[in-house]
Amino acid sequence: MTKTNPFRTPESDFKDVELSSEAPQARHISVNNLSSEDILASQYPGDVLAQKMHVVNNAIDQIGWTPYHTKLFFLNGFGYAVDSLVLLLQSVIAGQAHAELGKGGYQNGLSIAVYSGMLLGAIFWGISADIIGRRHAFNTTLMICSVATLIAGGMPSWSSLAFFIAVIGFGGGGNLIMDTTVFLEYLPSSKQWVLTFMAGWWGLGQAFTGFIAWGFLVPERWNCSTDGNAPMTCSMGNNMGWRYVMFTSGALVFVMSALRVTVIRLMETPKYLIGLGKDREVVKTLQYIASKYDRPCSITADDLTSLGIVTGAHSNNRFSLAETAIHLRGLFSTKKMAISTCLIWLSWAMVGLAYPLFYVFLPAYLEAQGAVWNITPNGKWRNYTLVNISSIFGPFLAGYMCNQRLLGRRYTMLIGALASSAFFFAYTRVRTAAEDAGFGCAIAFSMNVYYGTLYAYTPEVLPSAHRATGNGVAVACNRVMGILSAVVASAAQESTNVTIAPIYVCAGLLVIMGLVSAVFPFEPYGRRSS
């Protein structure tokens, strides 16, 4: 393909932009501590886009970590927190909301609604971010979550509640993709491990959910009884607890979304602009950051334009099926990349099935083995909060591990998956409430070692021009399995046949996930995202 990129910005568009006239070659900038090799460089020898990406990576490394990155860490972290918060909201309110509004409605309807919304959101925002850019999606998705959460708290029927739960999922499903993509595309190579560390925000969001639920779902004045007669006795007047959960969560997310557009004025990422052929705008963005924080930046527009014109990253009509096809094909452009993409998507699908299904079958099995404990609502939500607090620290450990030469990202995931599998097997021997809480905390910690690293690894090894699309499909695979687990949960609730086999299958899937991560074709440690 030799056509000139139709989106290449003419120099006249930048006649008012002041760019450095110095001409040291940015591609010769030295990189301290880590190799200057790009992860996918060997897959595109001689490719113009790959050469320009190398120059941009050198410039980003020269600038280093700045207060701009610190702001991104917190503001993108809000997206992680919200994604986990909205995913759990539907589960914590489902019992009380169904008692009031269900009236024969599908009991697991909210789970299917949120996973369906997140599935659509992951695909829509993932593909659109590669077509129209990261900035618009980044500023929009969190606001959608906040407004939909506030509206959902006032819904008068089960179906209308499910609809807005799906809308929350739609915003959250795209938000997580944007967080990892935007943050990574600004990170200097020596700090790429922070992307794994950032997954601690996921656990923080879960902890927020636990605290909010603990505060509003315990007092009897706000929560009607959920015994067999509950549908006849529950009304808005005596069952406001779950609505308060939604209102409080929506207000919290609204504050986060407002901060995202006020604290930082997000500029389009340089790595996205390179794919469009906007060389001068790339330099403008990098030099602006360097100038604002008094950092060196020797890249010039000539460093990029002298390498040629980028072709093949977009179609002639960006709003077409051909454009989408380009982004999908770009994930399979070489044999090694095709294997990598397939294994990543497989991993996301397996974890999306194994983790929720384990908790579908575990309670019934433990009850059949005599492990029955009476726990108060206060104790229930206290333990729920403790488990979610434990999940915060898994990514912290993962961030340290993945930055060790002997482990890297792949073996960090292997260790996290195998540890989680061991706890899954051991959980079947739980017989007391204290053991239940302890193993719940251990699993939350170890699973987030795996999950947090997988979240970071996925965008790291995808090509920038197609990164959001590949990331979106990966998350979509996870959401499909979430929908399946909700359907299986309904069937399991009606079954009287309780065996340990499904639990062992889930634990075995974790072992497979760990082994798959160990054979991923690319190891990002010591290399830079392309």
Side-chain angles (χ1 to χ4, degrees):
M1 183 174 182
T2 58
K3 293 181 180 179
T4 300
N5 191 318
F7 304 108
R8 184 176 175 84
T9 304
E11 291 189 11
S12 59
D13 291 350
F14 291 88
K15 59 185 178 182
D16 297 323
V17 177
E18 293 185 8
L19 299 178
S20 171
S21 60
E22 299 178 8
Q25 296 299 302
R27 52 186 173 275
H28 296 312
I29 297 168
S30 63
V31 180
N32 296 323
N33 301 324
L34 292 179
S35 165
S36 60
E37 180 185 355
D38 298 336
I39 295 172
L40 302 180
S42 63
Q43 303 302 298
Y44 304 102
D47 181 76
V48 172
L49 179 58
Q51 293 179 48
K52 290 189 176 186
M53 197 64 63
H54 187 72
V55 173
V56 170
N57 275 334
N58 285 337
I60 292 174
D61 281 342
Q62 185 186 33
I63 295 171
W65 183 277
T66 69
Y68 187 78
H69 296 90
T70 303
K71 292 177 183 178
L72 283 178
F73 176 80
F74 283 94
L75 299 177
N76 288 41
F78 289 166
Y80 266 85
V82 169
D83 187 79
S84 62
L85 185 148
V86 301
L87 189 59
L88 289 182
L89 271 182
Q90 55 82 24
S91 64
V92 302
I93 70 166
Q96 293 298 137
H98 188 267
E100 177 187 338
L101 305 175
K103 295 181 175 61
Y106 192 47
Q107 190 166 358
N108 290 314
L110 298 189
S111 293
I112 292 178
V114 75
Y115 275 113
S116 298
M118 296 186 102
L119 168 63
L120 294 175
I123 294 175
F124 175 82
W125 295 110
I127 294 176
S128 64
D130 279 338
I131 296 174
I132 64 174
R134 287 47 164 141
R135 183 166 59 91
H136 299 297
F138 180 83
N139 291 333
T140 303
T141 51
L142 212 59
M143 186 62 71
I144 291 175
C145 286
S146 64
V147 173
T149 303
L150 290 168
I151 294 174
M155 286 300 98
S157 67
W158 187 245
S159 57
S160 61
L161 174 61
F163 172 79
F164 280 100
I165 290 292
V167 175
I168 296 170
F170 178 76
N175 188 69
L176 186 63
I177 296 166
M178 290 302 98
D179 295 326
T180 55
T181 299
V182 169
F183 193 48
L184 175 65
E185 293 187 352
Y186 274 108
L187 276 179
S189 60
S190 63
K191 303 296 184 183
Q192 277 184 203
W193 62 270
V194 179
L195 196 63
T196 299
F197 189 86
M198 195 173 73
W201 285 93
W202 173 274
L204 191 62
Q206 292 176 319
F208 283 157
T209 307
F211 280 118
I212 295 170
W214 191 3
F216 290 117
L217 297 182
V218 173
E220 293 183 2
R221 67 183 182 278
W222 293 332
N223 299 278
C224 64
S225 172
T226 55
D227 59 24
N229 297 320
M232 300 298 295
T233 59
C234 273
S235 65
M236 183 182 293
N238 67 353
N239 196 42
M240 285 294 293
W242 71 268
R243 296 181 187 274
Y244 291 150
V245 169
M246 298 301 288
F247 293 147
T248 304
S249 301
L252 177 63
V253 177
F254 181 80
V255 171
M256 291 180 176
S257 64
L259 291 174
R260 289 245 285 214
V261 297
T262 56
V263 172
I264 191 170
R265 183 182 178 185
L266 183 72
M267 298 171 287
E268 191 56 80
T269 68
K271 293 186 178 182
Y272 173 75
L273 294 172
I274 279 291
L276 291 179
K278 296 186 176 182
D279 297 342
R280 296 181 65 83
E281 194 167 334
V282 169
V283 175
K284 174 187 173 183
T285 299
L286 293 173
Q287 289 192 354
Y288 169 80
I289 295 174
S291 175
K292 183 174 182 178
Y293 299 107
D294 194 24
R295 300 298 174 86
C297 181
S298 57
I299 188 174
T300 68
D302 288 343
D303 290 326
L304 296 175
T305 57
S306 64
L307 294 172
I309 298 175
V310 172
T311 59
H314 295 276
S315 69
N316 291 329
N317 180 6
R318 277 194 281 169
F319 301 96
S320 65
L321 290 177
E323 173 77 5
T324 301
I326 284 176
H327 293 304
L328 290 172
R329 285 199 305 268
L331 302 169
F332 300 88
S333 56
T334 68
K335 180 179 179 180
K336 190 173 181 179
M337 283 192 61
I339 294 173
S340 176
T341 299
C342 290
L343 290 180
I344 289 172
W345 290 355
L346 174 63
S347 297
W348 278 90
M350 287 192 294
V351 74
L353 184 65
Y355 190 56
L357 275 188
F358 177 78
Y359 286 102
V360 166
F361 292 102
L362 181 68
Y365 174 78
L366 292 179
E367 184 175 352
Q369 299 301 308
V372 180
W373 43 85
N374 296 318
I375 188 169
T376 65
N378 183 69
K380 171 186 174 182
W381 293 111
R382 177 203 63 208
N383 291 351
Y384 185 88
T385 304
L386 289 174
V387 167
N388 289 322
I389 288 175
S390 300
S391 67
I392 297 174
F393 302 99
F396 293 175
L397 176 62
Y400 172 79
M401 293 171 61
C402 74
N403 202 38
Q404 304 304 306
R405 183 181 298 275
L406 293 178
L407 296 177
R409 276 60 159 173
R410 293 182 295 185
Y411 292 115
T412 297
M413 283 186 277
L414 172 64
I415 292 171
L418 294 182
S420 300
S421 179
F423 286 128
F424 271 28
F425 282 114
Y427 210 147
T428 61
R429 308 303 300 172
V430 165
R431 294 296 180 267
T432 68
E435 291 174 346
D436 176 62
F439 274 99
C441 290
I443 288 177
F445 178 88
S446 61
M447 273 301 300
N448 270 23
V449 171
Y450 173 83
Y451 226 156
T453 310
L454 182 63
Y455 267 115
Y457 177 88
T458 299
E460 274 190 297
V461 298
L462 295 173
S464 62
H466 319 297
R467 177 172 287 130
T469 298
N471 203 2
V473 174
V475 175
C477 291
N478 182 274
R479 305 318 184 194
V480 168
M481 293 299 104
I483 295 172
L484 179 60
S485 68
V487 174
V488 173
S490 297
Q493 289 167 355
E494 299 174 359
S495 174
T496 58
N497 183 25
V498 180
T499 69
I500 199 172
I503 298 175
Y504 280 178
V505 169
C506 293
L509 279 175
L510 275 171
V511 175
I512 296 174
M513 286 154 45
L515 296 177
V516 167
S517 66
V519 298
F520 280 155
F522 300 107
E523 172 51 62
Y525 175 82
R527 295 176 176 85
R528 308 181 301 190
S529 65
S530 296

